[in-house]
Amino acid sequence: METIQHNDQKTGFEPTNANPAASQSGGQFGPGHRSKPMRISAGARLRFLSVAALIIISMTAGFAGGYLGRGASDETQAVQKQQVVLKTQGQLISSIAKNVGASVVSVEVTSRTVPTSSFFGYQGATTEQSAGTGIILDKNGLIITNRHVVPSGATSVSVTLSDGTKYGNVQVIGRTAEADPLDIAFLKITDLKGKTLTPAAIGKSGDMKVGDSVVAIGNALGQFQNTVTTGIISGFGRSVSASDSSGSSSENLENLFQTDAAINEGNSGGPLVNLNGEVIGINTAIASSAQNIGFAIPIDDVAGIIRSVEEKGKLERPYIGVIFVPITADMAQQYNLGVSQGAYIPPSVMIGQDSIVGGGPAAKAGLKEGDIITKVDGRNVDQTHSLTSLISQHNVGDKIQVTVYRGGKTLNVDVTLSVAPTS
């Protein structure tokens, strides 16, 4: 049996009188006997330790349970918040698809190719069927699409609304020239048959930033009407050389949005919209050698032309009448141009043709070969705002102020825009 002993004080001698009463009273010298050691049995001690351990374990479990419970609660709340965000985003995309989808049409085109001859013999004219997408601009049936959706050999055009209503004998109001970097065309439903159309809401492409969310809607593969995809704006000011699926024709396009929203064949001419449901671009091309790299024409670049068509009923493309080369930093350094951005009008000997169109707006205003146009109405001509796009935002007949760098000096020149030739 284990004994636990207290350190009690001793007197140092035994009292001579062994009277029990005196011993119990302790006499004048204090306690007259050694206190009896206190003993605790092993069973009682074990019970004491067990109770203490149980209390500690209970407290630890309580703290751990509280911590784990709080962690689980935080994780649950995070998941719930994410679900709310995803649900809200899904509802937003669904709402955009429903609202904007009513302004999107499928375009079906029958074209007749031009007879050709080659080493293998004469090939007669053939008939081709193609499809694309268009955007309703007003209640009178005006539609914008890509130029390549309605080629010059188109013999008939029809459009189908989102509700399945189909209109034949659609009129081609006009197309930009094949060499024009702005790939657009306008259509018109001549007889609405009493139906009321839903025009698309037009936004400001200049307000968009890299990383902003966008939604693309179109007639995917020419057979899946109003297909909806989502993504972001991946870049600005892209220049690409685009060709049709057969590779038989190509066109150089400028100042395009780059997006990772899936744009499939048949989506050409369809809208790229922001989260407010406003059209900020016209889908026009895809990179076939990569995934999720699509391109769209910023809507600001066609704003002036849209106004012209709405007011005059015909496509009038404003132009300045120069051939130019966009300046890059490397180019500026290599040729010691004096400025790092702008539109350089090269000498004719460099390109084998006149770089300033005779009798055109630039020639009348006194622009010269070797000039560098750095601004249009105070807006910089740079990698994200080409000269073509800045001119496109104006109307035919508008007087603009062009800032020119010439021979080390900067001067401002007034230029009156005129109608671009169709060829």
Side-chain angles (χ1 to χ4, degrees):
M1 179 182 291
E2 182 179 356
T3 302
I4 298 178
Q5 184 174 351
H6 292 290
N7 294 323
D8 293 337
Q9 184 180 1
K10 297 179 182 179
T11 61
F13 62 91
E14 295 275 344
T16 56
N17 184 7
N19 188 334
S23 298
Q24 289 176 5
S25 64
Q28 66 184 35
F29 297 109
H33 70 284
R34 297 175 65 185
S35 60
K36 186 176 181 179
M38 185 176 72
R39 292 178 172 81
I40 300 177
S41 68
R45 183 170 178 269
L46 181 60
R47 285 194 300 274
F48 173 78
L49 293 176
S50 298
V51 171
L54 181 60
I55 293 173
I56 293 173
I57 291 173
S58 299
M59 291 175 65
T60 303
F63 285 126
Y67 176 79
L68 293 176
R70 184 171 62 252
S73 176
D74 291 345
E75 183 177 352
T76 301
Q77 289 178 1
V79 171
Q80 290 174 343
K81 289 180 180 178
Q82 186 177 17
Q83 290 174 340
V84 169
V85 170
L86 292 175
K87 183 177 180 180
T88 302
Q89 184 178 14
Q91 291 173 340
L92 177 60
I93 301 302
S94 178
S95 176
I96 290 173
K98 179 180 179 181
N99 294 333
V100 181
S103 305
V104 180
V105 301
S106 298
V107 181
E108 297 177 357
V109 181
T110 300
S111 303
R112 189 169 179 81
T113 62
V114 178
T116 58
S117 61
S118 66
F119 176 79
F120 298 99
Y122 178 80
Q123 181 178 358
T126 59
T127 298
E128 294 180 346
Q129 302 289 332
S130 59
T133 307
I135 307 166
I136 299 174
L137 296 177
D138 65 24
K139 293 182 178 181
N140 298 319
L142 183 63
I143 296 168
I144 190 171
T145 186
N146 283 144
R147 176 181 62 224
H148 70 266
V149 170
V150 283
S152 57
T155 56
S156 68
V157 179
S158 63
V159 300
T160 304
L161 305 185
S162 60
D163 64 2
T165 303
K166 186 170 183 176
Y167 295 98
N169 299 320
V170 173
Q171 179 185 0
V172 179
I173 295 292
R175 309 166 64 254
T176 51
E178 298 296 338
D180 195 318
L182 201 58
D183 180 7
I184 59 169
F186 291 88
L187 309 175
K188 180 69 176 293
I189 301 174
T190 56
D191 183 6
L192 293 174
K193 301 177 181 178
K195 192 173 186 65
T196 301
L197 301 183
T198 303
I202 304 299
K204 290 283 189 180
S205 55
D207 293 341
M208 300 300 291
K209 299 179 180 62
V210 172
D212 283 350
S213 297
V214 289
V215 178
I217 304 177
N219 184 18
L221 303 179
Q223 57 182 320
F224 301 117
Q225 190 175 6
N226 279 17
T227 296
V228 178
T229 57
T230 63
I232 62 170
I233 294 292
S234 306
F236 294 98
R238 305 305 195 214
S239 296
V240 300
S241 179
S243 61
D244 58 21
S245 57
S246 65
S248 59
S249 63
S250 63
E251 52 189 7
N252 295 316
L253 308 176
E254 297 177 357
N255 196 48
L256 303 177
F257 278 140
Q258 179 186 331
T259 178
D260 67 350
I263 298 175
N264 303 289
E265 292 185 17
N267 283 80
S268 288
L272 187 69
V273 303
N274 59 22
L275 294 187
N276 292 325
E278 299 168 331
V279 178
I280 52 86
I282 302 171
N283 303 323
T284 191
I286 57 174
S288 58
S289 59
Q291 292 184 345
N292 294 343
I293 296 182
F295 302 96
I297 300 169
I299 199 66
D300 288 357
D301 288 5
V302 298
I305 302 176
I306 290 175
R307 288 194 300 269
S308 173
V309 174
E310 289 177 334
E311 294 171 1
K312 301 178 181 180
K314 59 181 179 180
L315 191 159
E316 290 186 342
R317 176 81 155 97
Y319 94 129
I320 192 172
V322 299
I323 295 175
F324 67 91
V325 179
I327 294 177
T328 62
D330 292 340
M331 178 182 174
Q333 183 177 6
Q334 181 179 355
Y335 294 100
N336 192 27
L337 296 178
V339 292
S340 60
Q341 61 185 21
Y344 175 59
I345 305 175
S348 300
V349 294
M350 291 182 61
I351 59 176
Q353 60 178 316
D354 292 335
S355 54
I356 298 180
V357 178
K364 291 178 180 178
L367 268 65
K368 300 178 180 179
E369 295 180 355
D371 284 349
I372 300 174
I373 300 175
T374 59
K375 295 182 180 181
V376 174
D377 284 341
R379 298 180 64 185
N380 290 331
V381 178
D382 53 30
Q383 296 299 309
T384 57
H385 300 91
S386 71
L387 177 60
T388 301
S389 68
L390 293 177
I391 295 298
S392 299
Q393 296 175 32
H394 291 274
N395 297 321
V396 171
D398 284 356
K399 180 181 288 187
I400 62 173
Q401 185 181 77
V402 174
T403 301
V404 176
Y405 181 81
R406 178 190 296 170
K409 297 181 180 181
T410 299
L411 59 151
N412 293 318
V413 179
D414 290 334
V415 180
T416 300
L417 302 176
S418 62
V419 180
T422 56
S423 62

